[in-house]
Amino acid sequence: QQPVQSPQAVILREGEDAVINCSSSKALYSVHWYRQKHGEAPVFLMILLKGGEQKGHEKISASFNEKKQQSSLYLTASQLSYSGTYFCGTPRGGFQKLVFGTGTRLLVSP
Amino acid sequence: EPEVTQTPSHQVTQMGQEVILRCVPISNHLYFYWYRQILGQKVEFLVSFYNNEISEKSEIFDDQFSVERPDGSNFTLKIRSTKLEDSAMYFCASSSSGNNNEQFFGPGTRLTVL
């Protein structure tokens, strides 16, 4: 079963912050975050491997709450280049088949 | 920086025709994947490939689909008899390890079945 993301879409002005949530009814052993711009391939942002882990990537960071089976992606002081669709993914099966979440569309306007 | 490449970037075919989508994974990677994305929807796993065999496949990956690594560099996805609903973006990905490693995605092939 795929992870569920919220919100489905976000519109921000440049410089504003956003939080994107990813939750699963099944256990999450790790969470991968990707960003996909329109017409392009998904681009890896980060992996969170342990419950409680937090990571940062430029002004984008994420946390992982294993017990609650959820992860959150934090975008601070958003830039125009942050626009795109954000997917969380979680491995299922033995060889890292990634099951992606429902996606969150982010639009940053000037 | 090493990258995954895919050809062609766009393929148009008639229903019932066979298509082969090609990928060149990153050279030292050992795990290879195909995903597809129907327009406006999420990315869906099709198949993973390791050590010259399929390691996992989804319900979508039925008998019409096959994958092959014909030589040391190429990784192909064949659809034997295309259907209208096969129209999608197909992404190839590779990773160096199967254990929670980043998957690098190629730019995709847009398949249009008429």
Side-chain angles (χ1 to χ4, degrees):
Chain A
Q1 194 159 7
Q2 67 187 43
V4 175
Q5 291 181 232
S6 63
Q8 286 186 323
V10 184
I11 299 176
L12 296 176
R13 289 203 181 274
E14 214 172 350
E16 290 181 337
D17 302 341
V19 180
I20 298 171
N21 298 304
C22 170
S23 63
S24 174
S25 57
K26 284 189 171 184
L28 286 174
Y29 300 105
S30 66
V31 179
H32 301 221
W33 283 98
Y34 284 79
R35 174 172 61 209
Q36 184 180 30
K37 291 186 181 283
H38 182 70
E40 298 181 11
V43 173
F44 172 79
L45 294 176
M46 64 191 82
I47 293 177
L48 297 106
L49 299 178
K50 299 177 195 172
E53 183 173 24
Q54 295 195 0
K55 273 195 175 176
H57 177 79
E58 298 175 343
K59 291 180 183 172
I60 301 174
S61 61
S63 63
F64 177 26
N65 187 325
E66 200 174 351
K67 285 184 183 173
K68 290 186 178 177
Q69 294 173 183
Q70 65 186 66
S71 175
S72 295
L73 188 72
Y74 307 94
L75 301 107
T76 56
S78 58
Q79 304 168 15
L80 297 176
S81 60
Y82 288 1
S83 293
T85 301
Y86 289 78
F87 291 101
C88 64
T90 187
R92 297 282 185 227
F95 284 89
Q96 303 313 306
K97 151 190 172 181
L98 278 180
V99 175
F100 285 94
T102 46
T104 296
R105 267 191 208 175
L106 178 75
L107 175 64
V108 181
S109 61
Chain B
E1 191 175 325
E3 57 182 18
V4 177
T5 58
Q6 289 184 242
T7 54
S9 56
H10 192 185
Q11 173 96 42
V12 180
T13 190
Q14 295 290 327
M15 193 168 59
Q17 295 295 304
E18 173 184 289
V19 295
I20 297 176
L21 309 183
R22 291 183 166 78
C23 167
V24 179
I26 293 173
S27 63
N28 62 345
H29 283 187
L30 301 174
Y31 295 81
F32 314 115
Y33 313 85
W34 283 102
Y35 291 84
R36 79 169 186 193
Q37 185 176 34
I38 293 169
L39 188 63
Q41 298 184 24
K42 69 179 177 74
V43 177
E44 299 175 288
F45 170 82
L46 289 178
V47 66
S48 58
F49 192 86
Y50 169 72
N51 202 24
N52 283 320
E53 59 183 24
I54 290 174
S55 44
E56 195 160 2
K57 58 185 180 179
S58 71
E59 323 70 66
I60 303 167
F61 194 89
D62 61 23
D63 293 343
Q64 294 300 314
F65 291 87
S66 62
V67 288
E68 206 177 31
R69 190 155 159 82
D71 53 44
S73 57
N74 290 287
F75 179 50
T76 62
L77 174 70
K78 183 194 288 187
I79 309 175
R80 268 181 262 286
S81 178
T82 50
K83 304 176 203 139
L84 294 176
E85 54 265 35
D86 293 328
S87 294
M89 193 74 147
Y90 288 80
F91 292 107
C92 172
S94 69
S95 64
S96 57
S97 159
N99 188 24
N100 274 319
N101 251 40
E102 172 185 355
Q103 292 186 18
F104 291 80
F105 281 73
T109 293
R110 180 167 296 287
L111 176 66
T112 303
V113 182
L114 303 175

